[in-house]
Amino acid sequence: MIPVDVNLAIGGYPFRHVPHPEPAVLARVLAREGVARGWVAHLPSAFWRDPSPGDAELYAALEPFPTLDPVATIRPDWPGWERRVREAVDRGAPAVRAYPMHWGLGPGDPSLARLGAACAAAGLVLILPVRFEDLRQRHPLDVAGDLTPAHVRALARAATAPQLVVLSAGREFIEETAWSLTPDERARLHFDVSWVWGPPEDHLATLLRTLGPERFVHGSGWPLRLTQNPSANLALLPDDLRGVALRGGDAILAQAREQARSAAR
């Protein structure tokens, strides 16, 4: 049983057809694949100037599905974002997502630092997707670039840094980010395995050996990617890594909540 898939979404995608964007289908897929819970965002919200209506849709859509946890999309340079962080807590969200590249926010943008501090204080995990699709596959109108390691480093180095999960990062991104941080800064940072190659390149095995499995969490990228991909890559690990346990999303959430309690004392 996989405790949590942290990289899931519902809703349509502006640049191509998505076959199964409904939460009912997602809930069945997770049950079939042996995933206990899913952290679910609203996919279209990344492309809206104001993502708050998408969160309202998300909360309503997931209400009938107790195994699907809402992940709010919060734009920190938009009016009223602090209220929406509080709403995410009230709604039981484990995390929030931000899309700096879609919103034109650079690595040093102070609004990102404020969002990170607010997540740390609220006990929320901050999730940063690197990409939705490979650059070579994108529609000509899809002009937002990939998230940069500099964005992640700036948040991880902040004095009030939250627990961070980076989605859909490849080996080069992960190594450039992780090895440029101190051990304490790196302890706040986690990567999902949805975009890390297995055999024959064996990028996943290399990263598990060098950074340790505690830096990695299960994530698939549904509905733009298949939920079976990360499980297949884990099953194809070399014998010395067979059965390795990734960090659970629930453990990261517990760490975020403990961090918030400690800061409040």
Side-chain angles (χ1 to χ4, degrees):
M1 176 67 71
I2 299 166
V4 179
D5 186 325
V6 303
N7 188 359
L8 301 166
I10 61 169
Y13 185 62
F15 303 110
R16 67 174 170 90
H17 173 64
V18 176
H20 300 294
E22 306 90 358
V25 175
L26 174 57
R28 292 198 299 270
V29 168
L30 294 185
R32 182 193 69 198
E33 300 300 324
V35 180
R37 304 195 68 81
W39 291 5
V40 185
H42 186 254
L43 185 57
S45 292
F47 302 92
W48 296 353
R49 286 192 305 162
D50 177 9
S52 56
D55 286 338
E57 290 183 13
L58 178 73
Y59 295 138
L62 298 189
E63 192 169 349
F65 305 98
T67 61
L68 303 182
D69 298 320
V71 174
T73 299
I74 296 182
R75 180 171 177 173
D77 64 336
W78 202 260
W81 69 269
E82 299 95 336
R83 182 175 64 253
R84 297 190 47 247
V85 171
R86 294 192 294 271
E87 182 184 15
V89 174
D90 293 342
R91 293 281 192 163
V96 303
R97 281 198 193 193
Y99 300 94
M101 303 303 290
H102 290 76
W103 302 330
L105 305 179
D109 194 294
S111 67
L112 288 176
R114 290 193 290 269
L115 176 60
C119 289
L124 293 168
V125 179
L126 178 56
I127 295 179
L128 300 169
V130 173
R131 57 171 72 86
F132 290 118
E133 295 189 296
D134 190 285
L135 283 168
R136 297 165 295 180
Q137 298 173 306
R138 292 182 194 171
H139 192 282
L141 295 178
D142 188 1
V143 296
D146 288 353
L147 187 75
T148 72
H151 283 87
V152 181
R153 288 195 299 265
L155 284 164
R157 288 171 174 163
T160 53
Q163 295 297 312
L164 295 163
V165 173
V166 177
L167 305 180
S168 305
R171 176 184 173 182
E172 294 81 5
F173 186 108
I174 293 170
E175 291 179 332
E176 180 179 345
T177 306
W179 294 124
S180 60
L181 299 173
T182 68
D184 286 343
E185 293 165 348
R186 195 158 55 242
R188 307 172 185 136
L189 180 59
H190 310 83
F191 302 91
D192 90 326
V193 296
S194 64
W195 216 276
V196 182
W197 287 99
E201 289 84 359
D202 282 335
H203 289 182
L204 181 56
T206 299
L207 291 169
L208 291 174
R209 291 189 182 110
T210 55
L211 285 172
E214 67 276 7
R215 296 274 65 79
F216 295 92
V217 64
H218 189 95
S220 63
W222 176 275
L224 297 174
R225 295 171 72 84
L226 296 175
T227 56
Q228 296 94 334
N229 286 350
S231 297
N233 283 338
L234 289 168
L236 293 170
L237 285 170
D239 289 343
D240 64 307
L241 292 171
R242 196 65 55 84
V244 68
L246 305 181
R247 189 77 185 277
D250 48 358
I252 300 172
L253 178 59
Q255 192 173 350
R257 291 175 173 171
E258 178 56 33
Q259 179 180 342
R261 287 191 292 267
S262 297
R265 293 187 189 117

